[in-house]
Amino acid sequence: MVELRARWDGVVPAPGELADELITRYVERNRRAYRDHYLEIVLAALEPLIQLSTDPASVRLAAWFHRAVHEPGGSPAEDAEASAQLAEQLLPQYGVQPIRVAEVARLVRLTGDLAAPPPDSYAPPRRDANGDVLLDSVNAIMSADPVRYAVHVAEVRRDLGERRSVLEHRYDHVQELLEGHLYRTQLARQRLAPVARVNLETELAGLDSELPAPWRGWQQAALTATATFGAIGAAVAAIAASGASWQIPAIASQPGWPPVALAGFAFFSGPVLFRCARSSSQRAGLIAGVVVAVAVTGLLVAWAQMPRTNPAVGVGLRVPLLIAALLLLLLSGGAALAASLLRTRTARFLPSRNLGQQLAWLAVPGVVALALLLVVQPVARNYVLSSNERVDGPDSVAGKAAPSVLNGAVAWVSKSVRGTGAEEAIGTQYGIAVPRPGGVVEMLDAATGDLRWRYSRSDSDEKPTIVATGDGDYVLAEFADVGYLLLDANTGRRKAAWSGRTRDHLIQQAQPLLTGERSTSGADKLHGVDPNGDQRWTYEPGKCTDLDAVASMDTVVAFLGNCGERTDEMIGLDLKSGKKLWARPTNDTYRRPVAVGGVVVVAEPGGDSDVPEALTAFDPRTGTVKWRWPVPQTWACRTLLNAAGRYLVVVDCPGPSTVENRRTVVTAIDSSTGKTAWQVTAPVGPRAKVTVTSDGRVISLSRSTEACWANVISRRGFRQVRLPLGISCSRDAHAVGNLVLTSGPDSVIALR
């Protein structure tokens, strides 16, 4: 109090009573903040600055009065207004001139808002020298000794009341102060600002530890993490691109250094962009901008150099991977630039390890990794699939084929399908599909043989393997290094590409669709698959390494062999769900199962011979035996089983399997009863490859010195039909339903 009384001397003439009254107000018992030591700091800071004012006496009086009235919990604006009114009431009693009283009251009211001006906007058209000096003096408490400042802060918090709201209010206030210049006069900035900023930063760190702020700063952390891991992801994509070709087929002069250079640049950019994202300097923004410019330039160059596709030239996987790497680099540079531009001075004082920032740093690399696996890789593959495929052909309505009566005439001859024979053709609802070398599938009109559509791939040189599925609505084609593609049998358009987990499966049966998976270690697996490649179920039998299956319309019958200590089994599975319905042990592995007429027929092994001991039909839903047909012991050749409507057509030879044997026996068994419907023995060599039409005719080709003959064995007996010139007898006939196809030198020929 003595020091305060000494500082009063000279403020106004003979004002001792006024000084005592003001000092009494600052030291009264009910005041918990803005006490006498606070006033001492303000007045001490005022003296070096007073020279900058135009009315020193008014500024000194305003400093004494600015917190003369203070109510616990009151706001600065309320205190300033009450203190200004007190000055207007008391000063005239001590002879202070009205003009000075008005100036003092004005200055006191200014202390109701102590926020410092923003760093880039403090350029008022008119300077208030008295107000600047007073406000800088009042804010001098921020530059006090750290212990004294901590005491002042504790008093202010205690005075304001409820802890949580006080901490939040104080946090916002300190942040606002740190974002500005803190002081208005240049002298105060030089002498007071450094210490004041340290005090405020220390207080902000303490407030952050007290406040439950688990998410504060996650945006800045997310941008920084994106800048860092985006660059790493770009490097990974660029490395993957270096192992792929720019175009297909690859050319020897194709440069390999661009993706390697991009990978190196991206790896180097990761830590650099991390530092840039954590800095608000102009240099940081410039570096991030350079990365963005490099990425944009690379995208433009890649777009300009992109291969122009045609039936012989395709786009390689390097194109989409390199573009993906450049996009990730662009994202990384953009995130660093945004973080640098949005970063304020207070960003340095954000909590370093709160929950929000930790989650951001954990989530962003996960998102980048998932983007590489679930977005970049599929998009790149789909881009290559789409860019390298073509569908050509007239838009015509599919015709319906007339059954082949085999009268020696030709129904139609296709245009050149060099490299393909009739034995590779498949029947669909919309025509005859044939695969061709060079990654081509053609659909021929079943009525005329004209081309309906041609699906070709620029990235495949080999002949695809095709099957019909979806009740003949689709063609499932397996292309080398591409996988299974589902084509619409009517239009040739690709409907789906089987995903990576199914693209290497083996087709067990096309209708209904089953696939198998051979395992080099462990057990084989069986999959129920939709035409688009989606797996409905997977059956893994344990340690069995020999797994085959056949399916009826609603049931799968699987045969398990080589199961270690387990006995070989035959099991039934529900076609839709894969649920196990039944199981029964087998003494030996059944062979050559056929689904026909609602039953599954298997061949019981007959020892070392290819001729089975018997044919047994099982109910696929229950596993019970429906009937058993003993195979004659005189049969000696490999027994062939084919489904033809409700009949099981069995082909064998009725005698020793020798070169001299010239006879074939064909038997049709009714699948519902197991009884022989008809049996014909024909003078046809048993080694001739046969095809079976849907109405049960067994057809093979043979050559004589005069011509090529079609051997037809049916319920009506045996007959031979002389075929026209131009049909290749060395290639097998093939039945599509009741349409019989043969091969020419470079064509498919349908027999009338």
Side-chain angles (χ1 to χ4, degrees):
M1 292 182 58
V2 175
E3 293 181 1
L4 284 175
R5 190 66 174 75
R7 291 185 183 281
W8 177 263
D9 295 340
V11 176
V12 294
E17 296 83 358
L18 179 57
D20 292 340
E21 181 176 350
L22 292 176
I23 292 172
T24 300
R25 287 177 173 273
Y26 280 98
V27 297
E28 59 188 4
R29 287 189 173 184
N30 67 338
R31 182 179 288 232
R32 291 177 292 188
Y34 304 108
R35 296 175 56 80
D36 52 341
H37 54 265
Y38 163 78
L39 183 60
E40 289 177 5
I41 294 174
V42 173
L43 295 177
L46 178 63
E47 292 308 314
L49 302 176
I50 197 68
Q51 59 183 320
L52 303 177
S53 66
T54 58
D55 187 353
S58 297
V59 175
R60 286 193 172 96
L61 284 172
W64 276 86
F65 271 94
H66 84 281
R67 282 295 185 273
V69 179
H70 173 69
E71 293 295 332
S75 66
E78 293 171 346
D79 290 348
E81 181 59 31
S83 298
Q85 293 178 8
L86 179 64
E88 291 172 337
Q89 177 186 347
L90 294 180
L91 288 178
Q93 299 176 16
Y94 293 93
V96 179
Q97 296 295 323
I99 189 172
R100 176 158 292 168
V101 172
E103 177 64 6
V104 171
R106 183 187 74 84
L107 293 174
V108 170
R109 289 186 172 94
L110 288 178
T111 63
D113 183 10
L114 295 175
D120 299 323
S121 63
Y122 184 64
R126 293 181 59 187
R127 298 296 299 271
D128 182 359
N130 294 336
D132 289 349
V133 170
L134 175 63
L135 293 177
D136 283 354
S137 301
V138 172
N139 281 334
I141 186 64
M142 296 184 297
S143 65
D145 178 83
V147 176
R148 174 71 72 178
Y149 178 73
V151 171
H152 168 72
V153 170
E155 291 175 346
V156 171
R157 294 186 196 173
R158 186 172 62 252
D159 181 69
L160 288 174
E162 198 273 319
R163 180 177 179 275
R164 172 66 180 270
S165 61
V166 169
L167 292 178
E168 292 178 349
H169 178 270
R170 185 66 186 171
Y171 190 95
D172 295 337
H173 180 60
V174 173
Q175 269 199 323
E176 184 181 2
L177 290 172
L178 282 170
E179 290 176 357
H181 277 305
L182 296 181
Y183 296 101
R184 287 164 169 76
T185 64
Q186 188 64 32
L187 182 60
R189 292 178 189 173
Q190 294 174 353
R191 304 180 67 175
L192 305 179
V195 177
R197 193 167 292 280
V198 172
N199 284 337
L200 290 172
E201 291 172 2
T202 303
E203 181 186 3
L204 191 65
L207 287 168
D208 186 76
S209 64
E210 294 183 65
L211 278 175
W215 304 108
R216 190 179 306 130
W218 71 267
Q219 301 94 331
Q220 195 77 27
L223 287 172
T224 305
T226 301
T228 306
F229 292 104
I232 295 175
V236 171
I239 291 174
S242 65
S245 61
W246 182 255
Q247 72 176 46
I248 295 175
I251 55 177
S253 60
Q254 176 178 289
W257 61 265
V260 176
L262 179 61
F265 179 80
F267 266 126
F268 176 77
S269 299
V272 173
L273 292 176
F274 171 79
R275 295 180 62 87
C276 291
R278 295 170 59 85
S279 172
S280 59
S281 66
Q282 185 177 5
R283 180 182 180 183
L286 181 61
I287 293 175
V290 168
V291 174
V292 171
V294 169
V296 172
T297 303
L299 286 171
L300 294 176
V301 172
W303 185 264
Q305 297 296 322
M306 193 173 298
R308 301 296 180 260
T309 62
N310 56 55
V313 177
V315 174
L317 190 58
R318 180 182 292 185
V319 174
L321 287 177
L322 205 58
I323 291 177
L326 291 168
L327 288 175
L328 284 171
L329 189 62
L330 177 62
L331 174 65
S332 179
L337 183 60
S340 177
L341 295 177
L342 296 176
R343 194 172 186 85
T344 63
R345 294 176 183 272
T346 60
R348 292 177 300 169
F349 318 116
L350 289 172
S352 57
R353 288 184 178 88
N354 68 0
L355 180 61
Q357 296 183 48
Q358 290 176 353
L359 288 179
W361 276 98
L362 289 174
V364 168
V367 170
V368 172
L370 289 176
L372 289 173
L373 294 176
L374 303 181
V375 178
V376 172
Q377 186 179 15
V379 168
R381 184 167 179 260
N382 287 334
Y383 174 80
V384 172
L385 282 174
S386 301
S387 299
N388 291 325
E389 67 182 356
R390 281 179 169 74
V391 179
D392 307 305
D395 186 11
S396 59
V397 179
K400 187 175 182 179
S404 296
V405 296
L406 299 177
N407 58 7
V410 170
W412 51 260
V413 179
S414 72
K415 293 183 178 179
S416 176
V417 286
R418 187 178 297 276
T420 298
E423 65 274 13
E424 297 170 287
I426 62 171
T428 72
Q429 294 282 0
Y430 302 98
I432 309 298
V434 293
R436 293 188 57 191
V440 177
V441 177
E442 292 186 349
M443 181 65 71
L444 306 179
D445 190 291
T448 64
D450 294 336
L451 178 68
R452 293 200 61 238
W453 52 260
R454 176 187 292 110
Y455 178 89
S456 60
R457 298 204 58 83
S458 304
D459 53 1
S460 179
D461 292 330
E462 299 181 12
K463 183 189 298 185
T465 301
I466 63 174
V467 294
T469 188
D471 293 324
D473 289 332
Y474 304 107
V475 175
L476 188 59
E478 183 184 16
F479 291 85
D481 300 325
V482 177
Y484 289 103
L485 303 183
L486 186 70
L487 308 179
D488 188 311
N490 188 30
T491 64
R493 301 292 177 185
R494 177 169 55 86
K495 305 297 291 185
W498 281 20
S499 59
R501 67 180 183 276
T502 54
R503 57 181 296 187
D504 296 325
H505 288 183
L506 304 173
I507 302 296
Q508 288 271 4
Q509 184 171 313
Q511 186 63 44
L513 186 55
L514 294 177
T515 66
E517 184 178 357
R518 302 299 184 192
S519 177
T520 56
S521 61
D524 292 350
K525 298 177 183 178
L526 184 67
H527 305 279
V529 186
D530 291 329
N532 62 3
D534 292 339
Q535 292 182 181
R536 298 191 308 276
W537 51 264
T538 296
Y539 177 73
E540 187 172 359
K543 297 182 179 180
C544 301
T545 57
D546 186 2
L547 176 59
D548 289 303
V550 65
S552 63
M553 294 309 296
D554 59 357
T555 309
V556 178
V557 177
F559 303 87
L560 312 181
N562 295 331
C563 298
E565 297 179 357
R566 289 172 49 192
T567 305
D568 293 349
E569 282 185 309
M570 180 170 62
I571 64 171
L573 305 174
D574 184 81
L575 180 63
K576 292 184 178 179
S577 65
K579 180 181 178 181
K580 189 173 180 179
L581 302 176
W582 53 267
R584 58 181 297 161
T586 59
N587 295 327
D588 197 355
T589 304
Y590 287 146
R591 292 177 290 182
R592 302 191 291 278
V594 176
V596 54
V599 297
V600 172
V601 180
V602 297
E604 296 182 16
D608 296 332
S609 172
D610 285 334
V611 180
E613 180 178 334
L615 304 178
T616 305
F618 293 92
D619 185 328
R621 294 301 294 181
T622 63
T624 58
V625 176
K626 301 290 287 184
W627 50 261
R628 187 174 183 271
W629 193 85
V631 175
Q633 296 182 359
T634 58
W635 288 7
C637 297
R638 179 177 173 83
T639 306
L640 303 179
L641 306 181
N642 295 272
R646 66 186 182 93
Y647 292 108
L648 175 69
V649 177
V650 184
V651 181
D652 209 313
C653 64
S657 177
T658 62
V659 176
E660 292 78 15
N661 192 332
R662 298 296 180 184
R663 294 188 303 162
T664 295
V665 58
V666 175
T667 306
I669 302 173
D670 191 320
S671 62
S672 61
T673 63
K675 303 297 183 180
T676 301
W678 54 267
Q679 187 176 73
V680 174
T681 301
V684 177
R687 299 183 182 277
K689 291 187 177 181
V690 300
T691 185
V692 180
T693 61
S694 58
D695 59 6
R697 290 174 292 170
V698 178
I699 300 165
S700 63
L701 301 183
S702 61
R703 175 179 293 280
S704 69
T705 56
E706 300 175 355
C708 180
W709 298 84
N711 305 306
V712 184
I713 308 173
S714 67
R715 174 190 293 269
R716 298 178 180 179
F718 168 72
R719 65 190 179 97
Q720 281 190 314
V721 179
R722 181 170 180 166
L723 300 179
L725 295 176
I727 293 177
S728 176
C729 243
S730 60
R731 305 191 70 166
D732 302 325
H734 182 62
V736 176
N738 283 323
L739 180 66
V740 179
L741 303 177
T742 56
S743 303
D746 60 353
S747 62
V748 173
I749 302 172
L751 301 181
R752 190 178 299 280

